[in-house]
Structure formats: C-alpha cells, structure tokens
Amino acid sequence: MTTVSDPSQRILELAAALDFRAAAPLTESLLAMRGTALTIDASRVERIGGQCLQVLLSAQQTWSADDAALSFTNLTPGFVEGLRLLGFSEADFTREEMPE
C-alpha cells in the first residue's frame, strides 16, 4: 500500500492481494488518515479476503461517524468479484452510507 498526500484529498492505494497479511498494514494506514477526506483507490486489487473487507467496512463506519468524506475509486473486477463472494456488491462501496 502506498499513500499520496494532497492538502485537499488523501488517497490510499490498496495492495493487489488484500489477504490476512494485508489487514494489519491496511488498518494502520487507515488509522493514520482518520478524520481526513480520503479516497481509497482499488485499481491494483486482484483479490480481497474477509479480514480486509472487515477493515474496509469498519473504515466506512468510522469515517461516517467522524463526518469525514470517504470514497472508493477504480474498483477492479477482482475487487468486485471478491465482494460478491463475501456477500457484498460494488454498490456497497460506491454509495455514501452502508446499509443498516
């Protein structure tokens, strides 16, 4: 994962393999950017596992509670297919709020 800072918008580029080994570094990166407007770029994602999905779902809830902007961009077919296999859809990551 790499991050690119811009004063108006921060971008977090996700790793290609979002498996259990990526969950802790993803969590740390997100915590470091908490409270700022953030775009999560999924353009490199080839696969996503349950642990990283949980981290991303938690980030959505956290950013919402903090009243900070969080968006996802460049969702790859691998990312979307992984979401589908885990019971979610692309729409869950492209709208403002998660379903209750």
Side-chain angles (χ1 to χ4, degrees), residues 36-56:
T36 64
L38 177 64
T39 297
I40 297 178
D41 180 354
S43 63
R44 294 179 42 214
V45 177
E46 296 172 7
R47 64 183 186 278
I48 182 170
Q51 295 89 348
C52 284
L53 175 60
Q54 288 177 336
V55 171
L56 294 175

Side-chain angles (χ1 to χ4, degrees), residues 29-75:
S29 293
L30 288 165
L31 286 173
M33 294 183 222
R34 185 173 179 179
T36 64
L38 177 64
T39 297
I40 297 178
D41 180 354
S43 63
R44 294 179 42 214
V45 177
E46 296 172 7
R47 64 183 186 278
I48 182 170
Q51 295 89 348
C52 284
L53 175 60
Q54 288 177 336
V55 171
L56 294 175
L57 292 171
S58 177
Q60 286 183 316
Q61 294 299 314
T62 300
W63 261 250
S64 178
D66 290 349
D67 200 25
L70 176 70
S71 62
F72 290 80
T73 188
N74 302 319
L75 305 185

Side-chain angles (χ1 to χ4, degrees), residues 16-34:
L18 293 176
D19 56 14
F20 74 95
R21 289 180 296 268
L26 176 58
T27 300
E28 290 172 15
S29 293
L30 288 165
L31 286 173
M33 294 183 222
R34 185 173 179 179

Side-chain angles (χ1 to χ4, degrees), residues 71-93:
S71 62
F72 290 80
T73 188
N74 302 319
L75 305 185
T76 62
F79 186 89
V80 173
E81 178 63 8
L83 294 178
R84 187 190 68 73
L85 291 171
L86 294 165
F88 289 84
S89 72
E90 182 176 355
D92 293 318
F93 287 83

